[in-house]
Amino acid sequence: MNVFAGTASVDVEKLALHRGLDMTRFSNLLMKEKTVALPYEDPITFGVNAAKPLIDALSQEEKDRIEVVITCTESAFDFGKSMSTYFHSLLGLNRNCRLFELKNACYSGIAGLQTAINFILSGVSPGAKVLLIATDISRFMVEEGGEGLTEDWSFFEPSSGAGAVAALISEIPHVFQVDVGASGYYGYEVMDTCRPAPDKEAGDADLSLLSYLDCCEKAFLEYQKRVEGADLSATFGYLAMHTPFGGMVKGAHRNIMRKIAKAKPAEIEADFDRRVQPSLNYCQRVGNIMGASTLMAIASAIVHGDFGTSQRIGCFSYGSGCCSEFFSGVAGQDGQARLRAQNIKEHLDRRYELTMPEYDELLVTNNTVKFGTRNIVLDPDFIPQARTAHGKPTLFLKEIKEFHREYDWVS
Amino acid sequence: MDKQAIFALITKHAGEVIPRLETHDFQPSDSLRALGANSIDRSEIVMMTLEVMELDIPLSETIRAENIGELAALLHEKSVGLQA
């Protein structure tokens, strides 16, 4: 698997100061930086840039065994055509391939992962691989006028990021081996956060937080029912959870440790530092990447944890609306070495840090690539430092011609 | 537990989560949000209260309460409902 988190970022503390947010409570967020999608970046550029190193490492024969491409997203730019078709083309994959897209807010990545795993486990095409791309961007524009919008919505600007995680799912799991059938799922209809109109995000931060906390507990209890002997404190070396912002994970961890593991506050704090913090590292630097967030938390846990001996990771995904799942898998030293070889930290370090005036200008510029844009040529001179930030070929959106998106590699 | 005791519990936990509220003279019409508790603080206060009350209800059901008095009434109603 691999993470791609764009070419530009902002320092979240500077942004919060710039917006005049209450800094005394701001540390609750546990956020440091966030990725900002530039006008010539879209969910396709994020996804292709994440998947490219994985595909390039395959032999032609292996590459031809990719028989499914699943895109997991809430940032699609077309109601009908799936982004998997673009990924398939840009990555040069075999045409005997299923292409489709999945949506369920931030749960999409795990819905896709489980779909991929079930295809592999079904054994209908032995040796086949699935390319899973979870990719999401936030264009921060608040839907105005709803009374459900709380003041805490201001927490969402500093935390909403952009990024993609790509993973190859096959019979031979090198990085993370999912425990077959070890899943507790829990979902119900709730109007917490949503994207009710093109380029708009809306939500009730309170309700979303409470629903996340409820689901985390219920999904784990269902997991425990299905997995004999599962114990929240003892079974998992690490926990990786959907991370809208670190503070939310901290709250959910505290809740389940208190209610299910009956742990005391000091014990909970130490457990958080030991078992949860490794999974938060990337998210603290990228922000909430929605459908890709749980996968990025898993990657972060594997890179930053101690896998001298193989460890089981307890994973929790929550998508507004809502659906959630607690599941688990095992990672070891070899998987860690493979993931570390992707140099994700270096990738994050190389992003261009936007100044506040540049960032504010971007919010206006964002308006130029609205949902439904029919024709546009993107300006390559806008924040040019970002385009070469990675020192290697990076895919960018070049133009939209009669709704068709055209890309080019820039180095 | 009666409504008054639940109110006292909520305000005690509010003081623990936000220390500057320890000496605040709480009124039922006080809103935790207006007193500076953000969504994480508020969820924490509710969770602590439910734990002491040994009340197991979905947290999202507490969202309707607009102030501490309403929250105490809602939790009281739930606890009586579950006992019945």
Side-chain angles (χ1 to χ4, degrees):
Chain A
M1 66 195 297
N2 187 33
V3 174
F4 183 85
T7 57
S9 64
V10 288
D11 180 303
V12 167
E13 196 177 330
K14 288 179 196 164
L15 173 62
L17 276 171
H18 180 64
R19 289 279 180 267
L21 295 184
D22 178 359
M23 297 306 290
T24 56
R25 311 301 302 158
F26 180 75
S27 57
N28 268 343
L29 273 178
L30 300 178
M31 292 289 306
K32 294 172 187 160
E33 300 157 20
K34 70 161 190 164
T35 287
V36 180
L38 299 174
Y40 41 74
E41 292 182 301
D42 69 2
I44 300 292
T45 66
F46 279 89
V48 169
N49 288 319
K52 191 76 164 69
L54 305 181
I55 302 301
D56 286 350
L58 299 177
S59 66
Q60 188 60 42
E61 196 187 343
E62 289 171 318
K63 191 171 158 180
D64 285 343
R65 292 308 314 273
I66 295 176
E67 295 184 10
V68 187
V69 179
I70 307 177
T71 305
C72 311
T73 190
E74 57 179 276
S75 314
F77 44 78
D78 191 295
F79 292 125
K81 182 176 164 62
S82 113
M83 291 199 283
S84 288
T85 60
Y86 281 101
F87 291 134
H88 180 266
S89 160
L90 290 160
L91 294 166
L93 304 182
N94 162 34
R95 288 197 169 191
N96 299 115
C97 190
R98 287 181 175 143
L99 306 172
F100 62 94
E101 192 170 287
L102 273 181
K103 170 180 78 179
N104 202 89
C106 303
Y107 175 63
S108 70
I110 298 310
L113 175 69
Q114 297 294 2
T115 303
I117 286 168
N118 284 311
F119 169 70
I120 299 300
L121 288 174
S122 74
V124 292
S125 184
K129 298 177 194 299
V130 178
L131 173 62
L132 177 76
I133 300 181
T135 179
D136 268 313
I137 61 172
S138 27
R139 301 282 195 206
F140 192 77
M141 286 174 271
V142 170
E143 182 78 352
E144 287 169 9
E147 60 181 28
L149 278 180
T150 68
E151 64 189 19
D152 279 349
W153 187 246
S154 59
F155 269 11
F156 280 67
E157 186 189 10
S159 61
S160 49
V165 177
L168 282 169
I169 319 298
S170 75
E171 299 163 339
I172 308 159
H174 292 293
V175 175
F176 185 59
Q177 178 166 5
V178 172
D179 296 324
V180 175
S183 274
Y185 15 91
Y186 189 81
Y188 61 102
E189 199 277 325
V190 62
M191 191 68 176
D192 53 348
T193 64
C194 52
R195 293 187 173 189
D199 306 317
K200 298 279 162 95
E201 298 177 25
D204 179 331
D206 261 19
L207 185 56
S208 190
L209 169 65
L210 297 179
S211 183
Y212 179 101
L213 295 172
D214 283 335
C215 282
C216 185
E217 181 192 345
K218 302 288 189 212
F220 178 76
L221 291 174
E222 184 59 26
Y223 174 94
Q224 204 170 30
K225 222 188 269 175
R226 293 174 185 224
V227 180
E228 208 187 329
D231 181 292
L232 183 59
S233 302
T235 302
F236 315 103
Y238 294 98
L239 296 169
M241 294 156 75
H242 166 52
T243 312
F245 52 88
M248 197 141 153
V249 171
K250 193 161 189 177
H253 170 259
R254 194 160 45 210
N255 188 37
I256 53 174
M257 286 302 290
R258 194 157 51 196
K259 280 183 90 163
I260 299 171
K262 310 287 177 206
K264 298 275 172 267
E267 212 180 312
I268 295 175
E269 191 72 28
D271 187 70
F272 179 82
D273 290 343
R274 184 171 58 87
R275 289 201 300 165
V276 184
Q277 183 58 46
S279 74
L280 296 182
N281 194 303
Y282 293 152
C283 181
Q284 287 179 312
R285 303 192 56 195
V286 176
N288 181 8
I289 55 170
M290 295 144 274
S293 154
T294 309
L295 293 166
M296 185 165 72
I298 293 170
S300 185
I302 294 173
V303 167
H304 298 101
D306 177 358
F307 288 86
T309 54
S310 291
Q311 299 287 330
R312 175 158 281 110
I313 305 176
C315 310
F316 172 67
S317 171
Y318 172 84
S320 289
C322 70
C323 187
S324 68
E325 181 160 343
F326 191 100
F327 64 103
S328 60
V330 175
Q333 211 160 20
D334 176 51
Q336 184 183 54
R338 281 171 181 264
L339 199 52
R340 282 185 175 171
Q342 302 290 353
N343 291 323
I344 299 168
K345 180 190 178 293
E346 188 198 348
H347 160 66
L348 298 181
D349 291 344
R350 292 186 76 112
R351 290 169 303 167
Y352 172 72
E353 187 188 336
L354 297 167
T355 63
M356 284 306 122
E358 280 171 337
Y359 175 73
D360 280 342
E361 193 192 342
L362 188 60
L363 295 187
V364 179
T365 313
N366 256 345
N367 293 328
T368 60
V369 192
K370 280 192 172 140
F371 187 95
T373 297
R374 186 165 184 158
N375 288 295
I376 190 173
V377 176
L378 281 303
D379 176 7
D381 297 324
F382 183 74
I383 320 215
Q385 306 92 318
R387 293 175 72 88
T388 52
H390 292 305
K392 64 175 185 185
T394 308
L395 191 78
F396 292 108
L397 176 62
K398 189 171 123 200
E399 65 176 305
I400 301 175
K401 203 186 272 177
E402 287 303 303
F403 298 119
H404 186 256
R405 295 196 173 214
E406 300 186 359
Y407 298 88
D408 58 4
W409 290 96
V410 175
S411 43
Chain B
M1 200 177 284
D2 66 20
K3 223 184 291 183
Q4 199 51 45
I6 297 171
F7 180 82
L9 257 186
I10 297 168
T11 57
K12 174 176 164 272
H13 293 143
E16 285 172 25
V17 172
I18 304 172
R20 69 179 160 74
L21 293 181
E22 260 170 342
T23 53
H24 181 78
D25 179 22
F26 286 99
Q27 301 301 316
S29 59
D30 278 344
S31 128
L32 287 170
R33 180 180 304 171
L35 291 172
N38 63 37
S39 52
I40 293 176
D41 300 332
R42 294 196 293 275
S43 70
E44 189 72 0
I45 294 162
V46 171
M47 286 190 280
M48 291 162 84
T49 306
L50 292 174
E51 195 184 1
V52 177
M53 292 176 67
E54 295 181 348
L55 183 58
D56 189 14
I57 59 163
L59 293 167
S60 52
E61 287 184 11
T62 63
I63 194 106
R64 283 182 286 128
E66 292 287 333
N67 56 45
I68 302 177
E70 284 183 26
L71 180 59
L74 187 146
L75 297 185
H76 180 251
E77 193 185 302
K78 295 279 179 191
S79 66
V80 172
L82 285 183
Q83 279 163 15

